[in-house]
Amino acid sequence: MVSSLNFKRNRMATGRSRIPSNSIPQALCPDPIINLAQMAAIKAREAAEAYFTLRHFDHAIMQARAAKELYQEFPGMDNYMAAYRIHSDVSHKKNWYHVLGIPNPTVADSEAIKKQYKRLALALHPDKNGSIAADGAFKYVKAAWDVLSDRAKREAYDKSLSPRSQGARGSNNRKPAQQQRSNACSRKRAGPDANSTGGDGSFYKKTIKIVRKSNPGQRATVVMLSVCRLA
């Protein structure tokens, strides 16, 4: 009888020893608040990736920024945001300078362009960036580098950007022409008939008299308006 009891006790002890000690769930951190912040940051990062797949780049950047604010030690969120920002710039048809993070192309030299390219290439490397946006963003950065690092390609690219500024200057260049028309009209006012053609049929001028009187006892205000049209 005693031997049978000892056998049962040994079998029960053996059964308890088979339970691995590492199977018991352990807390990620002694502080539960930090654990909640870390889990919330993970959810925000997943939401950022989901927004990127939907091409909602601004929302993806917001979620990545929220993940960084929720858990300061969360790795790689700045690199995630850099990848989303590059895709956003390309979708809005920004030039290659903006893609590399250079806001003012006129003061960007070759060293600044090279520095920005190296910084982004490191941030988008698979070892530093686990986002699904990193691969496409790196291709855009490489395309920008291929154009801006070559002097001839960069000069041709800068010329392709100049028509926008030339169009803005063209609107200012039209002002002298308008002034020439007004000056030509004023020179022809010396004709014999001020309210008709100037003898050669090149312009037409008409004067309109406007009388304004607010109260019966006040002096009337007279405005003379001249309209001149060139043929």
Side-chain angles (χ1 to χ4, degrees):
M1 185 70 181
V2 176
S3 61
S4 62
L5 290 175
N6 292 333
F7 174 77
K8 291 181 180 179
R9 290 175 182 175
N10 293 333
R11 186 175 63 180
M12 292 174 63
T14 304
R16 288 195 299 268
S17 64
R18 289 177 182 175
I19 301 176
S21 59
N22 58 359
S23 65
I24 302 175
Q26 300 291 334
L28 298 176
C29 179
D31 191 349
I33 297 179
I34 296 179
N35 294 336
L36 291 175
Q38 185 175 1
M39 288 187 290
I42 293 173
K43 292 296 183 181
R45 182 183 63 181
E46 294 175 353
E49 294 285 87
Y51 276 122
F52 171 76
T53 58
L54 298 175
R55 299 186 62 83
H56 295 168
F57 305 124
D58 294 338
H59 290 81
I61 295 173
M62 292 173 59
Q63 290 295 326
R65 185 178 294 111
K68 181 180 177 180
E69 293 176 355
L70 287 169
Y71 191 65
Q72 296 292 333
E73 299 179 0
F74 206 59
M77 285 298 98
D78 290 332
N79 297 338
Y80 275 57
M81 286 186 282
Y84 300 149
R85 192 269 305 167
I86 292 171
H87 283 275
S88 178
D89 288 345
V90 174
S91 67
H92 289 87
K93 298 181 179 181
K94 298 293 183 66
N95 57 50
W96 288 134
Y97 292 100
H98 281 276
V99 171
L100 291 182
I102 301 174
N104 191 357
T106 58
V107 298
D109 55 2
S110 59
E111 288 298 325
I113 295 173
K114 185 177 181 180
K115 182 178 179 180
Q116 284 296 105
Y117 168 72
K118 288 185 175 181
R119 184 184 67 82
L120 290 175
L122 181 62
L124 300 174
H125 193 273
D127 294 339
K128 299 290 185 179
N129 198 325
S131 173
I132 57 178
D135 186 39
F138 178 78
K139 291 179 180 179
Y140 290 133
V141 170
K142 183 65 169 56
W145 169 252
D146 291 341
V147 173
L148 300 181
S149 62
D150 187 270
R151 178 176 298 179
K153 291 181 180 179
R154 183 183 177 185
E155 290 178 357
Y157 182 70
D158 291 342
K159 290 180 181 179
S160 68
L161 299 177
S162 60
R164 298 179 182 178
S165 58
Q166 288 178 0
R169 289 194 298 267
S171 61
N172 296 329
N173 291 335
R174 288 194 295 268
K175 293 182 179 179
Q178 296 175 358
Q179 293 176 358
Q180 290 176 2
R181 288 188 177 184
S182 61
N183 293 335
C185 182
S186 61
R187 287 194 300 267
K188 292 181 180 295
R189 290 179 185 176
D193 188 0
N195 292 331
S196 62
T197 59
D200 56 356
S202 59
F203 80 102
Y204 176 81
K205 176 176 176 295
K206 185 173 182 178
T207 302
I208 302 173
K209 183 178 180 180
I210 301 175
V211 180
R212 180 180 179 184
K213 195 172 184 180
S214 302
N215 297 321
Q218 294 181 353
R219 182 179 299 179
T221 303
V222 180
V223 179
M224 303 296 292
L225 179 63
S226 297
V227 179
C228 178
R229 182 176 65 86
L230 295 179

